[in-house]
Amino acid sequence: SQQGEEDPQALSIQEGENATMNCSYKTSINNLQWYRQNSGRGLVHLILIRSNEREKHSGRLRVTLDTSKKSSSLLITASRAADTASYFCATDEEAGTALIFGKGTTLSVSS
Amino acid sequence: EAGVAQSPRYKIIEKRQSVAFWCNPISGHATLYWYQQILGQGPKLLIQFQNNGVVDDSQLPKDRFSAERLKGVDSTLKIQPAKLEDSAVYLCASSSYLASYTEAFFGQGTRLTVV
């Protein structure tokens, strides 16, 4: 089963703009992660936020987590054409369990 | 460090035929996963191995899908007989058991088309 929903399903922006995508999940979690998938490729880990954290930064990425609302957001600042990809949130209920993925947001960044 | 290797990259078969996919995880990763990703959706877990034992296969359609992990390293996923709705990308991933969280490293996947 899928954990939850990403919102929006698709997002189109210009280079230099910021992109924000949201994720909701259903069960209690150990961690929440964001993955990127370029067309025709496997998924690549971007960033992890633990259930006791509220915000995390990594380069141009900013992730927030609100466990009371069971939601997370991923912000990509100053987007580039190379950021064009699908982005998925994934959660694990406890260490050692498999990741459960959302349905993803498809981001298109045009130059 | 070599990544997760999968083969073949693409496969086209007719319905009711059988097909097998192969995965070689990152060296030293005790945990191996097979996910099914239907076009436009997120990956859905089919089976999780810890070494050569099955941890979770609750979403594996066992009437047609089978998987094994030989000697706790390579793994094969088989579909027999295939149905049209099995058309998807099959992703293999591995992770380190020692990590306090699950960071999965994915292969490039096998795109299966059933006609």
Side-chain angles (χ1 to χ4, degrees), chain A residues 74-93:
Chain A
L74 172 68
L75 168 67
I76 305 174
T77 60
S79 295
R80 306 165 180 167
D83 295 327
T84 295
S86 292
Y87 292 81
F88 297 89
C89 69
T91 58
D92 56 338
E93 293 187 8

Side-chain angles (χ1 to χ4, degrees), chain B residues 3 8-9 14 19-20 25 27 33 40 45 47 52 61 63 69-70 85 90 92 95-97 102 109 112-113:
Chain B
R9 283 297 312 279
E14 294 182 350
V19 65
S27 177
Y33 316 86
L45 179 71
I47 189 167
N52 60 352
D63 58 333
R69 189 176 184 195
L70 301 174
E85 60 260 35
Y90 291 84
C92 179
S95 67
S96 169
Y97 178 70
T102 302
L112 174 67
T113 302

Side-chain angles (χ1 to χ4, degrees), chain A residues 2-7 22-34 49-54 63-73 89-93 100-103:
Chain A
Q2 310 245 232
Q3 172 65 290
E5 302 281 335
E6 272 94 333
D7 167 53
N22 305 296
C23 162
S24 61
Y25 56 91
K26 299 174 182 175
T27 63
S28 61
I29 61 171
N30 180 40
N31 303 286
L32 185 142
Q33 304 179 43
W34 285 89
I49 186 165
R50 299 186 188 277
S51 58
N52 61 355
E53 296 177 316
R54 292 297 167 258
V63 172
T64 62
L65 179 63
D66 186 336
T67 54
S68 67
K69 295 181 179 179
K70 289 188 167 58
S71 67
S72 173
S73 67
C89 69
T91 58
D92 56 338
E93 293 187 8
I100 302 173
F101 287 84
K103 295 181 179 179

Side-chain angles (χ1 to χ4, degrees), chain A residues 1-2 30-31 33 35 37 40-45 48 50 88 92 94-104, chain B residues 9 31 33 35 37 40-45 48 50 55 59 91 99-108 111:
Chain A
S1 61
Q2 310 245 232
N30 180 40
N31 303 286
Q33 304 179 43
Y35 282 75
Q37 185 178 36
R41 308 297 294 271
L43 286 84
V44 175
H45 172 84
L48 173 146
R50 299 186 188 277
F88 297 89
D92 56 338
E94 58 185 67
T97 60
L99 291 173
I100 302 173
F101 287 84
K103 295 181 179 179
Chain B
R9 283 297 312 279
T31 308
Y33 316 86
Y35 284 86
Q37 186 176 24
Q41 297 184 20
K44 179 185 118 178
L45 179 71
Q48 176 185 357
Q50 184 69 34
V55 175
Q59 297 186 82
L91 295 163
S100 61
Y101 60 91
T102 302
E103 179 182 342
F105 294 82
F106 282 83
Q108 295 197 58
R111 182 176 297 277

Side-chain angles (χ1 to χ4, degrees), chain B:
Chain B
E1 174 181 82
V4 176
Q6 288 189 248
S7 66
R9 283 297 312 279
Y10 306 93
K11 191 73 177 179
I12 300 175
I13 62 171
E14 294 182 350
K15 60 184 179 185
R16 292 187 290 273
Q17 286 187 324
S18 62
V19 65
F21 313 126
W22 173 83
C23 172
N24 180 242
I26 291 174
S27 177
H29 279 190
T31 308
L32 184 146
Y33 316 86
W34 284 101
Y35 284 86
Q36 179 194 58
Q37 186 176 24
I38 293 173
L39 185 64
Q41 297 184 20
K44 179 185 118 178
L45 179 71
L46 292 175
I47 189 167
Q48 176 185 357
F49 290 97
Q50 184 69 34
N51 295 309
N52 60 352
V54 175
V55 175
D56 183 355
D57 64 355
S58 58
Q59 297 186 82
L60 186 74
K62 298 180 186 65
D63 58 333
R64 298 184 301 106
F65 286 64
S66 64
E68 61 179 1
R69 189 176 184 195
L70 301 174
K71 301 179 182 178
V73 183
D74 293 4
S75 177
T76 56
L77 176 70
K78 297 179 182 178
I79 307 175
Q80 181 179 10
K83 293 185 176 181
L84 295 176
E85 60 260 35
D86 298 332
S87 294
V89 176
Y90 291 84
L91 295 163
C92 179
S94 67
S95 67
S96 169
Y97 178 70
L98 297 178
S100 61
Y101 60 91
T102 302
E103 179 182 342
F105 294 82
F106 282 83
Q108 295 197 58
T110 295
R111 182 176 297 277
L112 174 67
T113 302
V114 183
V115 298

